[in-house]
Amino acid sequence: MKQGFMVMALLLGACKSTPQFTLPPPEVAVMTVEPKTLDQVYEFSGVVEASKRVQVRSQVGGVIMERPFREGQAVEAGQVLYRIDPTNYDADLRAAQGRFAEAEARQTNAAARLQRFTALLRDNAISKQDYDNAVAEAGQASAGVDAARGALDRARKAFNDATVRAEIGGRVGEALLEVGARIRGPEDVLTAIDVMDPIYVTFSPSSQQLLAWRANPESSRKLQPGGPLRIEVTLPNGEPVPAVGQLGFIDPVLNPATGTQALRAVFHNPQHLLVPGQFVRVRLLGFTRDSSILVPQRAVVQALGRQSVYVVAPGDTVKVHDVTASSWEGNNWLIESGLAAGDRVVVDGLQKIGPGMKVRVAAARP
């Protein structure tokens, strides 16, 4: 029995002399906050518009005899689009030509008569009244020629207008009236021509965004037609348009229904990748932001409507900082508030730590 007590005493003594095991502080990867100048990219929805759209109308009425163009094709200025029955206009032209010839003959005769009377008047062979009558007749004949020439010009124009030509080069649209239809004149639209190169893309930032740009002197200087801003467009299928656009127009009027203001970019479009009516994504580049703080997305904890990060304070203890993260820049959050230069933000190892814990610090991988 005494020996048993002695064994137990020895065992208890051995347990008391064994040191207790303590876990080492967990290792975390941190990045040091370094504010920098950031290229800012803004994205908007945009719509494509023709840089010029001309409605094709006939200046004369009549029955359409021919439509030689193909809908949707590219046309050049002066190309024939419609031919209207020219019968009446041809008859009017020939009648005007006849009246003009008759007026010219009267003018020639009156001029010759005046020339003879001038010589006779010098020899006192005619009265002054006869000479005055000859002068008046010559003037009437000259005025008759001018009137006949005007009527001839109008008749020739009407005859020429029976052939409707493209006023500008571009892409012709749908034929609104076909062969056999009777048109009344300029009130009837025959088709339309869209200029596709260059082409416009219109997008509408909010009034708040425009005010923020204009409050910054550098941004306000850039936000001008023809300024240094670059504009990129992505097609509905996700493909980027190779051309880079330039700001060409800023609508001076705010749309009261949407609270936005229209901006229009100009693009070269030789391959007609951009088509009027398309909805595209617009990226506005060229703005910069000083003293910007970026942290990796995985470093920001979002819970219960709050955004926060773990910061390693002096002494390698962990603190929680509430932050405001406004937007993504690649794989990073743009931090508006809550961090300062030199702060050590935990990037990896968040699941192993909590506020007040002591940690071992390692540099985060880029």
Side-chain angles (χ1 to χ4, degrees):
M1 189 70 178
K2 183 183 286 187
Q3 289 181 348
F5 280 120
M6 292 178 63
V7 170
M8 289 183 64
L10 290 174
L11 289 174
L12 289 172
C15 290
K16 288 181 180 179
S17 62
T18 302
Q20 293 184 351
F21 179 74
T22 303
L23 291 174
E27 182 178 277
V28 294
V30 303
M31 60 158 287
T32 302
V33 172
E34 296 179 0
K36 59 183 179 180
T37 299
L38 180 67
D39 291 330
Q40 287 193 295
V41 179
Y42 298 91
E43 292 197 4
F44 306 95
S45 295
V47 62
V48 181
E49 301 174 354
S51 58
K52 188 181 293 184
R53 182 177 179 85
V54 174
Q55 292 182 331
V56 178
R57 302 171 185 262
S58 172
Q59 297 303 306
V60 298
V63 177
I64 297 175
M65 305 297 291
E66 186 180 357
R67 177 179 70 80
F69 73 90
R70 187 180 70 255
E71 294 172 309
Q73 77 175 86
V75 297
E76 298 179 355
Q79 184 172 332
V80 176
L81 301 179
Y82 285 90
R83 287 191 174 92
I84 299 168
D85 184 2
T87 303
N88 292 337
Y89 304 110
D90 181 55
D92 292 342
L93 176 59
R94 286 185 283 110
Q97 288 172 335
R99 289 190 293 271
F100 179 68
E102 182 181 358
E104 282 189 317
R106 283 198 301 269
Q107 183 189 40
T108 301
N109 184 55
R113 187 166 182 267
L114 177 60
Q115 187 176 8
R116 289 196 306 272
F117 275 34
T118 301
L120 292 172
L121 182 65
R122 286 197 297 266
D123 297 336
N124 294 319
I126 61 171
S127 66
K128 184 68 167 57
Q129 182 63 50
D130 291 337
Y131 174 77
D132 290 342
N133 291 339
V135 171
E137 184 181 344
Q140 290 174 353
S142 178
V145 169
D146 289 340
R149 181 180 288 111
L152 176 60
D153 290 343
R154 285 193 297 272
R156 182 179 290 113
K157 182 178 185 303
F159 176 77
N160 291 335
D161 285 343
T163 301
V164 181
R165 301 177 183 273
E167 294 292 334
I168 60 172
R171 190 193 67 173
V172 66
E174 177 187 4
L176 302 179
L177 291 173
E178 287 290 353
V179 174
R182 177 177 290 277
I183 59 176
R184 296 164 294 177
E187 56 265 39
D188 290 328
V189 179
L190 303 177
T191 185
I193 298 175
D194 292 323
V195 175
M196 305 279 288
D197 186 20
I199 201 163
Y200 294 153
V201 175
T202 300
F203 56 100
S204 300
S206 67
S207 58
Q208 291 86 352
Q209 180 64 79
L210 286 166
L211 287 172
W213 285 335
R214 286 173 176 150
N216 184 312
E218 183 179 357
S219 298
S220 181
R221 178 181 58 81
K222 293 178 179 179
L223 192 68
Q224 299 292 336
L229 295 179
R230 307 182 310 282
I231 301 167
E232 297 178 348
V233 162
T234 303
L235 295 172
N237 63 357
E239 291 293 327
V241 173
V244 175
Q246 187 178 42
L247 191 62
F249 170 75
I250 300 176
D251 193 340
V253 179
L254 185 73
N255 186 330
T258 61
T260 60
Q261 197 166 348
L263 276 65
R264 190 174 68 199
V266 183
F267 286 82
H268 289 298
N269 191 37
Q271 298 178 339
H272 294 180
L273 294 176
L274 295 171
V275 179
Q278 274 182 333
F279 288 94
V280 294
R281 291 297 300 171
V282 177
R283 300 178 75 238
L284 186 60
L285 302 91
F287 290 114
T288 59
R289 173 173 172 156
D290 296 330
S291 303
S292 299
I293 295 176
L294 295 176
V295 300
Q297 292 177 16
R298 63 184 186 275
V300 179
V301 179
Q302 301 190 72
L304 302 176
R306 294 174 54 193
Q307 296 172 310
S308 59
V309 296
Y310 288 111
V311 175
V312 178
D316 293 342
T317 57
V318 174
K319 291 186 177 181
V320 177
H321 283 203
D322 288 334
V323 296
T324 302
S326 61
S327 61
W328 287 1
E329 296 290 335
N331 293 324
N332 298 315
W333 273 112
L334 175 62
I335 304 299
E336 299 288 346
S337 62
L339 291 176
D343 285 344
R344 296 184 295 171
V345 177
V346 178
V347 176
D348 294 313
L350 280 73
Q351 68 278 6
K352 301 181 293 185
I353 61 176
M357 288 184 61
K358 194 173 185 63
V359 293
R360 289 183 297 118
V361 176
R365 294 181 180 179

